[in-house]
């Protein structure tokens, strides 16, 4: 009697498992996917100068992870916001014939894309009769006949200190600048020299070039 009951149980179990594939060894994996990526933004600190690379870490259908690294090696401006954005592939059926999109050689409007890269001054002012300044995007011109005897920078944000040889005595001045990189100039005179302290909006290296009308300080 016990043998009959055991046989009935085995037959019942075989019926329950009859629809399973005995050759199936792997199961389909499913992952929970977040919303579609559209764009993201990144800003750098004031020390950043060169973008070396960008790495994308992603998940495959089977749940494994991979990475793609793009070598960039390009200069960046840390004031800017850099955007990673999604772009749909164009529909090939909508691409126009090349002959339609290329202007004729005698079409004068084709020359309208030519532009001049001129660097215009952003602010000009006179500190005293013997020294004036002009600011540009990342430069400041100091117009003076006096000679620089020392220069250095300190702090973060940076302050550039420039000393000029002079016997002139003048009152201390603080000049506010309407500029994103150059914030303020402080003037102070001392025995045998006067000093300019140029306040910046972040951390910079700089170089100074002399010309016939004074000195040009360029930020890097």
């Amino acid at each position: 009697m016990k043998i009959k009951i055991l046989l009935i149980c085995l037959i019942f179990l075989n019926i329950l498992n009859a629809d399973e594939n005995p050759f199936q060894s792997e199961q389909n994996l499913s992952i929970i996917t977040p919303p579609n990526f559209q764009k993201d933004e990144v800003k750098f600190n004031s020390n950043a100068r060169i973008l070396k690379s960008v790495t994308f870490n992603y998940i495959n259908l089977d749940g494994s992870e991979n990475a793609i690294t793009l070598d960039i090696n390009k200069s960046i401006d840390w004031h800017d916001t850099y955007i990673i954005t999604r772009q749909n592939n164009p529909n090939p059926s909508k691409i126009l014939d090349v002959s339609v999109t290329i202007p004729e050689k005698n079409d004068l409007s084709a020359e309208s894309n030519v532009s001049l890269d001129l660097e215009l001054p952003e602010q000009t002012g006179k500190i005293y009769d013997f020294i004036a300044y002009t600011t540009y995007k990342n430069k400041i011109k100091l117009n003076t006949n006096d000679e620089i005897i020392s220069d250095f920078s300190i702090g973060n944000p940076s302050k550039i200190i420039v000393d000029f040889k002079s016997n002139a005595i003048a009152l201390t001045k603080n000049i506010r600048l309407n500029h994103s990189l150059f914030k303020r100039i402080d003037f102070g005179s001392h025995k045998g020299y006067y000093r300019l302290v140029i306040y910046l909006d972040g951390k910079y290296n700089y170089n100074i070039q002399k010309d016939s009308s004074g000195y040009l300080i360029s930020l890097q």
Side-chain angles (χ1 to χ4, degrees), residues 147-153 160-165 193-196 206 208 215:
E147 179 185 356
I148 289 180
I149 55 176
S150 67
D151 65 272
F152 57 95
S153 68
I160 300 176
I161 291 88
V162 187
D163 294 333
F164 293 86
K165 184 178 180 180
Y193 72 97
Y194 61 86
R195 169 171 290 183
L196 296 185
Y206 72 96
I208 300 179
Y215 296 88

Side-chain angles (χ1 to χ4, degrees), residues 103-105 107-114:
E104 296 293 335
K105 291 183 178 180
D107 186 358
L108 295 179
S109 63
E111 300 178 1
S112 62
N113 291 328
V114 178

Side-chain angles (χ1 to χ4, degrees), residues 10-212:
L10 291 174
I11 292 171
F12 181 72
L13 290 174
N14 287 334
I15 293 173
L16 290 177
N17 296 326
D19 59 344
E20 292 186 0
N21 185 355
F23 300 102
Q24 184 175 350
S25 60
E26 296 182 357
Q27 295 180 348
N28 291 329
L29 297 176
S30 61
I31 58 175
I32 299 175
T33 57
N36 287 339
F37 174 81
Q38 298 299 330
K39 72 173 184 178
D40 207 346
E41 300 178 353
V42 62
K43 287 187 71 68
F44 298 94
N45 61 38
S46 63
N47 283 306
R49 292 298 181 272
I50 298 174
L51 180 59
K52 183 176 178 60
S53 63
V54 175
T55 299
F56 296 91
N57 296 290
Y58 62 93
I59 299 175
N60 298 308
L61 277 174
D62 60 2
S64 62
E65 295 189 16
N66 284 99
I68 295 176
T69 299
L70 304 179
D71 291 327
I72 308 297
N73 287 320
K74 294 290 191 301
S75 297
I76 58 174
D77 185 339
W78 65 270
H79 297 89
D80 295 334
T81 299
Y82 291 83
I83 300 174
I84 301 172
T85 185
R86 172 184 177 182
Q87 180 175 340
N88 294 327
N89 289 328
N91 188 343
S93 63
K94 295 182 180 180
I95 298 177
L96 298 177
D97 189 283
V98 176
S99 62
V100 177
T101 60
I102 298 178
E104 296 293 335
K105 291 183 178 180
N106 58 358
D107 186 358
L108 295 179
S109 63
E111 300 178 1
S112 62
N113 291 328
V114 178
S115 61
L116 297 177
D117 186 13
L118 298 177
E119 189 171 17
L120 299 176
E122 298 190 358
Q123 185 175 344
T124 299
K126 183 170 69 171
I127 302 174
Y128 281 106
D129 289 338
F130 49 85
I131 187 166
Y133 66 89
T134 302
T135 61
Y136 299 87
K137 180 180 179 182
N138 67 326
K139 302 180 180 70
I140 183 168
K141 179 65 184 297
L142 301 175
N143 297 96
T144 182
N145 293 323
D146 298 323
E147 179 185 356
I148 289 180
I149 55 176
S150 67
D151 65 272
F152 57 95
S153 68
I154 58 173
N156 184 10
S158 298
K159 294 184 285 291
I160 300 176
I161 291 88
V162 187
D163 294 333
F164 293 86
K165 184 178 180 180
S166 175
N167 292 320
I169 300 297
L171 296 176
T172 298
K173 276 190 177 182
N174 305 113
I175 300 170
R176 295 285 179 179
L177 302 177
N178 301 321
H179 195 283
S180 60
L181 274 65
F182 304 97
K183 295 301 184 182
R184 193 173 94 213
I185 298 176
D186 288 355
F187 172 92
S189 63
H190 307 270
K191 185 177 180 180
Y193 72 97
Y194 61 86
R195 169 171 290 183
L196 296 185
V197 181
I198 305 171
Y199 290 78
L200 309 176
D201 72 332
K203 182 71 174 179
Y204 294 93
N205 291 326
Y206 72 96
N207 64 62
I208 300 179
Q209 294 178 312
K210 184 178 181 179
D211 60 22
S212 59

